[in-house]
Amino acid sequence: MRTHLLVPSVLLLGSLALTSACSSGSAGTADGPTAAARPGASASASPVRTVDPAQIKGLQIVSDNSENTSCAWATSYPDVPGATAMTDAMKKDVQGRLASFRSACSGGAATGSELNITYQFLVASGDVLGVRLTTLGGDGPGSGLAQRTYWYDGAAGAYRPTPSLVADGSRNALFAALKSRLKGRDGTDANSVAEGLDDVSVLDDMAFTAGGDLRVTFAPGTVGAVPAGSYVVTVPKGTVTPWLSAFGKRAQRQSVSPSGSLSLGAAATPTPAVPTHTASGDDDTDCKKVRCVALTFDDGPSAAYTGTLLTYLAQYHARATFFTVGQNVAAHPELVRAEARAGHEVGNHSWSHPDLTKLGAEQVAYQLNRTSAAIKAATGTAPTLFRPPYGAINSTVRQATRLSPVLWTLDTEDWKYPNAAKVAASVVSKVERDDVVLMHDIHPTSVAAVPEILRTLSARGYHFVTVSHLRSTM
């Protein structure tokens, strides 16, 4: 499938004053100073201590997405060695939500909608792991918002549902405190609060602040009117601590005073070697004189596949452009550094892969600026290019950033067809001079297709260059 390539006459590089929101041990809002600019975030986002995912040994991010703008979806959750039961619980929930969404799409009920599921570490310290999944589904920003927290008890080797943070005999006391704090809130009344707090299942999003308070978030429609959005209630540390279970107290302690390391009893997990290929000088390929093609890879880096891809590219002295997702950059900065060190171009693909055209200007800026900051922290250089998820772009998106947009001219549709031979054939049978090829390095079959693409096109005299190099020499 071919589409038009955006080629502005000038590449603009904005100076970015952001610092990464993933610094280890810093206290603040859940996702930095502009959490409200996240898709699905509210101004009352939990002020939990931030966690640097790059410090979690063996971490893998399980990501998948479509490129179908009529039924767009992107999902992501972490897989931490030793916490298999918790990973299985997240996987089950994500796959269930995705199956329902795709079924609604195929039936026409959700056409034009989007599903976006992203993650945030709440604590990863000692023998405690906490993760929040945020789901945004529906027709626009702020609709269909749902958040759920997942907890793992390394001492017991067990997944703990969120209500288990509170001792069984203390839940009535907690409910009474929550009712008291919800009383008089706009959009609530006594009946809605009473009906919402009649079962522990409503306690599916709880986390501890950096000061030890318990922050409880209720989904829209749970304890009040749906248009009022989420309700967040904070119970002070001194009040809630006596009500916590033994595990809840450990989770609270590790949230307040992280130990600096995570030990869940897992056997040592081999860390995939990071390629050490180094580019030899600047690329002097003149695309006016020779046939060039720009291979681009979206949605990484992937701990499982990006390193292998870098090795394949090095074998043919090929350069490529990686449009990286910010939350994956934060988890694996070493792979982004390896990309840059090998002479590849690192571009911006947003923080969590939402359809940017459904967001406001502030949210778009947050998605792109936070990702650019993570890339700069990893490589020392801020990106100049961005690829909007799903190729969706409008005037709001363009005006919210000084990055130069890049689409593609040849779409392999590798996300739809997980077949290495088919992906390779989709390139070698259709490629034309100066094409920009869209692929994804989160799919093993896409990475497996690359050697055949490099081998066949090299034999035809093609040179593999970055998007910026292609633009500058066309």
Side-chain angles (χ1 to χ4, degrees), residues 45-233:
S46 303
V48 301
R49 191 178 297 275
T50 57
V51 175
D52 181 0
Q55 302 305 312
I56 301 175
K57 294 181 179 179
L59 171 66
Q60 293 201 42
I61 307 302
V62 183
S63 299
D64 200 4
N65 63 269
S66 74
E67 291 296 338
N68 184 354
T69 54
S70 66
C71 194
W73 54 267
T75 63
S76 188
Y77 61 91
D79 181 351
V80 178
T84 301
M86 191 181 83
T87 302
D88 289 345
M90 290 188 288
K91 178 180 179 180
K92 180 180 179 181
D93 287 349
V94 169
Q95 290 186 341
R97 287 183 179 273
L98 179 57
S100 296
F101 178 76
R102 296 181 75 173
S103 176
C105 281
S106 63
T111 301
S113 298
E114 177 186 8
L115 176 71
N116 186 275
I117 302 178
T118 187
Y119 69 91
Q120 170 204 348
F121 284 102
L122 302 173
V123 59
S125 176
D127 58 8
V128 176
L129 179 67
V131 175
R132 172 183 283 124
L133 293 188
T134 298
T135 300
L136 182 65
D139 295 326
S143 64
L145 174 65
Q147 294 186 146
R148 176 171 291 180
T149 54
Y150 301 77
W151 295 87
Y152 192 78
D153 181 349
Y159 162 60
R160 301 292 189 193
T162 301
S164 68
L165 293 172
V166 180
D168 290 344
S170 298
R171 287 175 183 166
N172 287 338
L174 176 62
F175 277 144
L178 294 173
K179 289 178 182 179
S180 175
R181 286 166 172 77
L182 285 165
K183 185 177 180 180
R185 293 275 191 97
D186 289 344
T188 70
D189 57 44
N191 288 334
S192 63
V193 172
E195 291 175 2
L197 295 179
D198 63 357
D199 190 277
V200 295
S201 64
V202 300
L203 303 178
D204 59 2
D205 185 5
M206 298 196 297
F208 295 101
T209 70
D213 303 334
L214 182 67
R215 187 59 67 103
V216 184
T217 303
F218 297 100
T222 304
V223 294
V226 173
S230 299
Y231 290 85
V232 180
V233 178

Side-chain angles (χ1 to χ4, degrees), residues 234-405:
T234 300
V235 184
K237 177 182 178 182
T239 300
V240 77
T241 299
W243 301 337
L244 299 177
S245 65
F247 172 68
K249 290 176 181 177
R250 295 208 321 274
Q252 183 190 53
R253 286 196 299 271
Q254 293 295 349
S255 298
V256 173
S257 301
S259 65
S261 62
L262 179 67
S263 179
L264 301 181
T269 302
T271 302
V274 177
T276 58
H277 313 298
T278 302
S280 55
D282 294 332
D283 187 359
D284 60 0
T285 304
D286 187 347
C287 294
K288 291 187 178 71
K289 298 179 179 179
V290 299
R291 287 194 282 184
C292 291
V293 62
L295 299 180
T296 66
F297 298 92
D298 289 8
D299 298 346
S302 162
Y305 312 121
T306 300
T308 299
L309 173 58
L310 290 173
T311 297
Y312 291 155
L313 293 169
Q315 291 170 351
Y316 284 84
H317 305 287
R319 303 201 190 204
T321 300
F322 290 85
F323 288 102
T324 56
V325 171
Q327 60 186 2
N328 293 345
V329 175
H332 296 292
E334 74 285 355
L335 287 171
V336 182
R337 282 192 290 274
E339 291 169 354
R341 184 172 57 240
H344 305 297
E345 185 168 32
V346 180
N348 187 323
H349 198 41
S350 81
W351 184 261
S352 58
H353 207 282
D355 182 339
L356 298 178
T357 64
K358 295 181 179 179
L359 306 182
E362 182 184 1
Q363 294 173 307
V364 173
Y366 175 83
Q367 283 278 332
L368 296 178
N369 289 351
R370 188 177 180 192
T371 302
S372 289
I375 293 171
K376 185 174 182 179
T379 67
T381 302
T384 62
L385 307 179
F386 84 102
R387 172 168 284 163
Y390 312 106
I393 189 167
N394 59 14
S395 59
T396 299
V397 176
R398 290 189 180 92
Q399 293 169 11
T401 182
R402 297 177 66 190
L403 298 173
S404 180

Side-chain angles (χ1 to χ4, degrees), residues 2-16:
R2 290 183 175 272
T3 186
H4 295 292
L5 173 68
L6 299 182
V7 189
S9 58
V10 179
L11 292 177
L12 299 175
L13 173 61
S15 59
L16 299 175

